Amino acid sequence: MSEFKKLVFSGVQPTGNLHLGNYLGAIRKFVALQEDSDCIYCVVDLHAITAQLVHEDLRAQTRSIAAAFIAAGIDPVKHIVFNQSAVPQHAELAWVFNCVARIGWMERMTQFKDKSGKNAEQVSLGLLAYPSLMAADILVYRATHVPVGDDQKQHLELARDIAQKFNIDFGGQIKSAGLGLDIVVGEEPVHAYFPMVEPLIGGPAPRVMSLKDGSKKMSKSDPSDLSRINLMDDVDAISKKIRKAKTDPDALPRETEGLKGRPEAENLVGIFAALADKSKAEVLQEFGGQQFSAFKPALIDLAVNVLAPINLEMRRLLDDTNHIDAILRDGSERAGVIAEKTMNEVRDIVGFLR
Ligand code: TYM
């Protein structure tokens, strides 16, 4: 049996300010993975128009995410950083996947249900098909590993379902074109053109919660800016938001068990651990028994130490838009070569006349 070559892919939408959830759930992992894997990181501007069509500053937002990637430590020369719309093969493969996937699969997505609410008939068709484009983003590179926050887990399961259905529906064509690999899915040997993507979700902060409400995800769309730390926040804003973060009156526990039922405490300990590259247990060994009045200043120091240099470098990079644009163009060209190879094969498998 063979295996697909390890390749990491992930994407971030250029909508609203990046926050600590995006950084700890995704971007910090992107940085770590480049040590031992080939990585492709994408600013997903096609996804950005699914929920809101007209953006005054989509180009600026796109540059800002690219700047955040690079400021956080992603190397756009060794790896690939680009924007999705510049590689049209994403949209082309998404069309094929729209015909592979079933409407019911899309309607079941919790993010679709949350975003469409009672208005499901009135949202864009793009919002419904969003996960199909996401599967295409990954599979147009036949990428195998996808670092994301916990909220994307269901979308990645769907990407696996789409890959599997494509592999089965076109099984004969894949074999007769001499394409694909024999892999094992579960216990079953299958001949696959697309790999089964592995989500990389772990770590101490896979779901960073709102600073105001430990039961809600930290989110770009929360109306309260105090609920999140933005990557562009200055030292004063970071300090103020952590000082005002909701907590409970008890001291921190000495063991992770003691965090159960204390969502705000669990969130702040998880944030500390992720920023310090430690486990929650290690953080509690240090701070167990102490009050939040002692823990919060240490968290402020740590957050400022990690985020201030990123913030500074982002501002420096954004001063020279030509430089960022050149990086994205170079990335798009290199991504386009890989994507076009896949699409040529997919066109043959599906049977489009060329
Ligand atoms: P997006 O732009 O909403 O978020 C980018 C990344 O940040 C993670 N994230 C969080 N992690 C922990 N705690 C939080 N509170 C939090 N909020 C956001 C997200 O899980 C994500 O990893 N659909 C994707 C973008 C996308 C994509 C892809 C990702 C498009 N194509 C292909 C992977 C592969 C999204 O909207 O992410």
Side-chain angles (χ1 to χ4, degrees):
M1 287 295 153
S2 27
E3 272 184 30
F4 286 87
K5 187 173 167 289
K6 182 174 182 193
L7 178 64
V8 172
F9 179 94
S10 198
V12 176
Q13 290 198 62
T15 45
N17 289 330
L18 282 178
H19 53 69
L20 193 61
N22 301 124
Y23 177 65
L24 296 178
I27 298 173
R28 199 172 166 90
K29 293 188 206 147
F30 299 178
V31 176
L33 281 159
Q34 10 168 42
E35 294 306 315
D36 62 0
S37 314
D38 290 330
C39 305
I40 304 179
Y41 295 128
C42 182
V43 186
V44 290
D45 48 6
L46 298 175
H47 277 110
I49 62 169
T50 55
Q52 179 194 329
L53 180 59
V54 182
H55 296 255
E56 255 172 47
D57 52 358
L58 188 57
R59 281 186 202 89
Q61 292 280 2
T62 299
R63 290 184 184 114
S64 160
I65 306 290
F69 285 175
I70 297 161
I74 291 165
D75 180 341
V77 176
K78 278 202 196 129
H79 302 276
I80 294 180
V81 172
F82 75 107
N83 59 310
Q84 189 187 26
S85 62
V87 180
Q89 289 84 353
H90 289 238
E92 190 182 353
L93 184 58
W95 180 257
V96 175
F97 286 173
N98 284 344
C99 302
V100 172
R102 308 287 94 183
I103 292 182
W105 299 3
M106 302 291 157
E107 286 173 338
R108 273 200 295 279
M109 293 293 107
T110 47
Q111 278 209 351
F112 176 72
K113 288 194 227 165
D114 288 350
K115 285 192 186 168
S116 58
K118 292 197 181 77
N119 216 10
E121 295 285 311
Q122 291 305 320
V123 296
S124 77
L125 191 52
L127 191 68
L128 180 66
Y130 180 114
S132 175
L133 177 59
M134 189 165 153
D137 295 338
I138 303 163
L139 294 172
V140 83
Y141 304 99
R142 298 164 94 194
T144 55
H145 291 77
V146 184
V148 282
D150 181 65
D151 60 339
Q152 296 301 315
K153 191 169 170 196
Q154 200 186 25
H155 288 157
L156 293 185
E157 281 161 9
L158 190 65
R160 290 169 68 103
D161 291 343
I162 291 176
Q164 193 166 10
K165 185 164 184 297
F166 181 98
N167 289 338
I168 293 169
D169 289 351
F170 290 106
Q173 289 84 344
I174 296 168
K175 268 211 172 119
S176 59
L179 297 166
L181 293 177
D182 289 322
I183 61 168
V184 179
V185 180
E187 308 274 281
E188 294 286 308
V190 281
H191 191 73
Y193 181 72
F194 287 120
M196 296 290 112
V197 294
E198 290 283 339
L200 301 173
I201 296 180
R207 182 182 278 266
V208 177
M209 307 308 272
S210 156
L211 297 180
K212 295 268 101 195
D213 176 352
S215 68
K216 273 190 3 204
K217 192 177 74 166
M218 185 178 284
S219 148
K220 293 169 190 167
S221 55
D222 194 311
S224 166
D225 196 52
L226 284 176
S227 70
R228 66 186 156 258
I229 293 175
N230 302 304
L231 280 198
M232 288 304 248
D233 280 347
D234 60 20
V235 174
D236 287 347
I238 296 174
S239 314
K240 178 172 150 203
K241 288 175 181 180
I242 295 178
R243 264 189 282 113
K244 286 186 173 269
K246 186 174 171 202
T247 50
D248 56 40
D250 296 338
L252 283 167
R254 292 183 198 277
E255 317 256 326
T256 48
E257 276 292 296
L259 292 171
K260 290 230 171 81
R262 298 180 64 187
E264 284 85 15
E266 172 144 37
N267 190 36
L268 293 183
V269 170
I271 291 173
F272 192 110
L275 284 169
D277 280 328
K278 288 184 175 165
S279 65
K280 285 187 201 167
E282 285 171 310
V283 174
L284 291 179
Q285 268 164 25
E286 192 180 340
F287 290 98
Q290 298 192 30
Q291 296 294 332
F292 283 102
S293 53
F295 179 68
K296 279 185 170 179
L299 180 57
I300 291 172
D301 279 352
L302 175 62
V304 167
N305 275 336
V306 174
L307 298 180
I310 299 177
N311 184 317
L312 202 70
E313 181 62 4
M314 267 180 85
R315 288 177 199 278
R316 196 187 68 79
L317 287 162
L318 288 171
D319 272 346
D320 185 356
T321 52
N322 286 337
H323 178 61
I324 299 261
D325 292 0
I327 290 174
L328 289 172
R329 256 195 316 275
D330 171 67
S332 306
E333 274 169 28
R334 289 188 288 138
V337 172
I338 310 171
E340 181 57 8
K341 180 170 182 292
T342 305
M343 271 325 293
N344 263 327
E345 294 177 351
V346 169
R347 290 175 200 126
D348 283 346
I349 290 168
V350 178
F352 294 136
L353 190 61
R354 295 205 278 136

